[in-house]
Amino acid sequence: MNNALEFERPIIELEDKIHELESFIRENEVDLSHEIDILKNKLDNIKKNIYNNLTPWQKVKIARLLDRPTTLEYIERIFTDFIELHGDRLYRDDYAIIGGIGLLDGIPVTVIGHQKGRDTKENIKRNFGMAHPEGYRKALRLMEQAEKFERPVIMFIDTPGAYCGIGAEERGQGEAIATNLLQMSKLKIPIIVVVIGEGGSGGALALGIGDRVCMLEHSVYSVISPEGLSSILWKDASLAEKAAEIMKLTAQDLLELNIIDKVIEEPLGGAHKDVDLVSSNIKNYIVKELTELLKLDSNTLLDMRYQRIRKIGV
């Protein structure tokens, strides 16, 4: 109940009633199966009604859930023989971005992604998935290594945005992001991008240039957070829900605007309800698209990537 979002409370309350009845049956050996079936059918209908009609702000809430699967959880389920690589060879290792080498159905690939924490301690270590410049430089180092050895790159995006502290700015946060945008547009290897949670601002875009870009059903992708936009437009961060309504930040909005190529389905309630299923859906999409991209020569790949970027906003 503590982890339930406000709009999920009717679901939690009905689930609690069902559990109480089932407990009562076990203790008193009373047949209430008909009543339980009625409640379960009602529960299914409530879930479908709520989760199939989520507002943009409700999707933001789901995308930010602590229970939502992280990059590492997807790596464990999608790739084999993953070896994490560290550091940018300039300053230090940034735990907000992880990357390494693994196998995807026997195909060597480089995997890079934002990594959030599961609790306060881990989130402090991971800086809540907000990377410093060295995180983006680590990612670029691994991408250039992948190009050298002709490995495709798989990106997982999940960040509120790049870290905007003084140290990050002193070490060239804007330059690091801009360099990634430039170099990713020129890499002569396939790049597939998956937005698994929050795709926030330049911090997300710095890993977001690809030949294919997809989003999980309840993930979001935007130039600024709803709180940030409402603070700018109306000088009031509490109007974030109103801001989310006009931002076109949901996967469905972005598919309609041709900014992404695919929306990957999640189970009712979100990806955390069945991580294995969502991992399988992501893997199927990556394998399918990668099979086609690997058939292309580098010039064709780069031309198609350029045309894809130029069509955004048309």
Side-chain angles (χ1 to χ4, degrees):
M1 190 72 172
N2 291 335
N3 294 327
L5 298 169
E6 186 62 36
F7 61 87
E8 293 179 311
R9 292 194 178 276
I11 295 172
I12 303 299
E13 288 170 2
L14 193 51
E15 285 177 338
D16 288 343
K17 287 182 182 178
I18 292 172
H19 292 323
E20 285 176 15
L21 267 180
E22 288 175 336
S23 178
F24 180 79
I25 290 171
R26 286 193 297 270
E27 292 171 4
N28 298 278
E29 298 183 358
V30 180
D31 184 10
L32 296 173
S33 56
H34 178 66
E35 288 76 5
I36 288 178
D37 287 341
I38 292 173
L39 288 177
K40 285 183 176 179
N41 287 333
K42 184 179 179 181
L43 178 62
D44 288 340
N45 290 332
I46 290 175
K47 283 182 177 180
K48 289 175 183 176
N49 184 53
I50 289 176
Y51 292 124
N52 291 334
N53 297 284
L54 292 171
T55 67
W57 181 241
Q58 288 169 342
K59 284 182 177 284
V60 170
K61 292 287 191 181
I62 290 179
R64 292 174 174 174
L65 275 175
L66 270 179
D67 291 338
R68 197 163 176 84
T70 65
T71 294
L72 276 174
E73 289 176 84
Y74 288 124
I75 287 175
E76 290 169 2
R77 290 166 172 80
I78 296 173
F79 307 95
T80 56
D81 301 309
F82 178 73
I83 301 171
E84 186 175 354
L85 303 175
H86 300 272
D88 66 341
R89 300 297 186 266
L90 293 169
Y91 184 67
R92 68 175 175 92
D93 193 25
D94 187 341
Y95 294 110
I97 288 182
I98 62 166
I101 306 165
L103 296 176
L104 176 68
D105 282 357
I107 302 171
V109 295
T110 290
V111 189
I112 303 168
H114 300 96
Q115 179 65 28
K116 292 181 177 178
R118 275 291 183 209
D119 52 36
T120 302
K121 183 179 179 181
E122 190 182 1
N123 263 320
I124 290 171
K125 174 185 175 181
R126 302 284 184 185
N127 203 35
F128 296 85
M130 297 183 291
H132 292 73
E134 48 271 21
Y136 296 115
R137 290 175 181 137
K138 172 171 71 172
L140 180 59
R141 179 178 76 81
L142 297 182
M143 286 186 270
E144 290 174 339
Q145 181 197 77
E147 183 180 45
K148 179 179 179 180
F149 293 100
E150 299 183 344
R151 291 191 299 265
V153 173
I154 313 299
M155 293 287 189
F156 290 95
I157 290 178
D158 186 18
T159 180
Y163 184 62
C164 56
I166 292 175
E169 298 298 335
E170 288 175 340
R171 295 193 299 279
Q173 185 71 287
E175 182 274 339
I177 292 172
T179 299
N180 274 27
L181 297 178
L182 176 63
Q183 297 303 323
M184 287 184 77
S185 68
K186 300 190 294 184
L187 287 175
K188 297 177 181 179
I189 47 172
I191 307 171
I192 295 179
V193 178
V194 187
V195 182
I196 59 173
E198 285 185 276
S201 193
L205 195 59
L207 301 185
I209 304 297
D211 302 294
R212 299 288 186 273
V213 180
C214 67
M215 292 175 65
L216 292 186
E217 183 180 357
H218 300 317
S219 59
V220 294
Y221 200 10
S222 61
V223 70
I224 193 172
S225 69
E227 293 89 345
L229 182 66
S230 62
S231 295
I232 292 171
L233 283 183
W234 305 301
K235 312 299 182 188
D236 187 353
S238 68
L239 297 176
E241 183 172 358
K242 179 181 176 182
E245 294 290 339
I246 64 174
M247 288 177 67
K248 302 293 184 184
L249 48 60
T250 70
Q252 296 73 21
D253 288 330
L254 296 173
L255 181 65
E256 191 174 326
L257 293 169
N258 294 317
I259 292 173
I260 66 169
D261 306 294
K262 174 75 173 179
V263 176
I264 296 178
E265 288 187 8
E266 299 183 32
L268 278 178
H272 57 292
K273 299 294 185 180
D274 193 338
V275 185
D276 291 334
L277 174 63
V278 178
S279 299
S280 178
N281 290 344
I282 293 173
K283 181 178 180 180
N284 290 340
Y285 175 77
I286 293 173
V287 170
K288 176 178 176 293
E289 296 300 328
L290 199 55
T291 301
E292 296 302 315
L293 291 171
L294 286 171
K295 296 176 183 177
L296 305 175
D297 63 78
S298 59
N299 289 332
T300 303
L301 187 73
L302 288 176
D303 184 59
M304 289 177 65
R305 188 182 303 158
Y306 174 80
Q307 295 301 330
R308 185 190 179 284
I309 294 170
R310 292 291 296 176
K311 287 177 183 177
I312 292 176
V314 174

